Amino acid sequence: MGGPAGRTARRARTRTDRFSHATTVLELYRLLLRLPALEPLEEPVTRHSSAEPRMLTRIRALLAKAEATGYPDEAEALTAKAQELMARHSVDEALLDAQAPAHDSPGACRIGVEPPYEQAKAVLLDAVATANHCRAVWNEAFAFSTVVGFGPDLDAVELLYTSLLVQATTAMTKAEAAQRAGGRKRTKTFRQSFLAAYAHRVGDRLRAAAETQVGDDLLPVLATREVAVTDRVDRMFPQTTTTRLRGVTDEAGWVQGAEAADQAQVKSRKPLS
């Protein structure tokens, strides 16, 4: 259509396309205005040692073996060794920072906490974060937690949480299969109770282990870093709320989840000094 009618039709399509584009842009802008604001994650001031990549490689290898093995005792030993390396690396970094003229500052990262059973997963992540000198704040609406801490500790939290979640899921699947083989039907309530108990028990064991990891002479150094982390959390999240776990009513799921956590978690070790 090369005549006047064809040119008129093309101009009409152009006007329509422009109008549609403008309408789409305005609708997108209105949607963005309605979205809640996310806390910005600033880059931490951190000096990484040359040994860090090798350390993280060893930790990843140990946790990968713990996830792959079918023997609970072996998984426990591998996880214990990985945590020992994490703890020693964290203390080494804290001591180096204390002696440096310019100090590191805490940073933050976001770790996915996705359905199903997101509440229990958030509790597990919080337990791991607390044991590794970090703080976790869960954003249920966006399915992630923001973890605040120093660089090496953030790495440790992400690695250990991911590994424990894999181990918990594997143990839960086996426990549920055994329940079904015994003629008892298990549902979402069993799985929710299992993971909640797992997270609760892991938190207890981690806190107990953390108390034996550091000698008294190192407490002031770590306390200074804890104050810095808490200050960063308070600035990022001036208002937080607490929530209660829902759907934790299956006794068998709770008992077996706690037993699985005992198998996955660490033993006491000599204090670091």
Side-chain angles (χ1 to χ4, degrees), residues 30-39 110 139 141-142 144:
R30 290 174 58 191
L31 175 62
L32 291 175
L33 288 178
R34 291 197 296 268
L35 289 176
L38 286 177
E39 301 77 13
R110 294 189 174 110
N139 188 322
F142 287 99
F144 64 72

Side-chain angles (χ1 to χ4, degrees), residues 203-233:
D204 287 344
R205 298 291 301 275
L206 282 173
R207 282 190 293 272
E211 293 175 356
T212 65
Q213 296 307 298
V214 181
D216 291 342
D217 56 326
L218 296 175
L219 290 178
V221 174
L222 296 180
T224 300
R225 290 166 78 88
E226 183 177 349
V227 169
V229 170
T230 300
D231 180 67
R232 176 70 189 276
V233 172

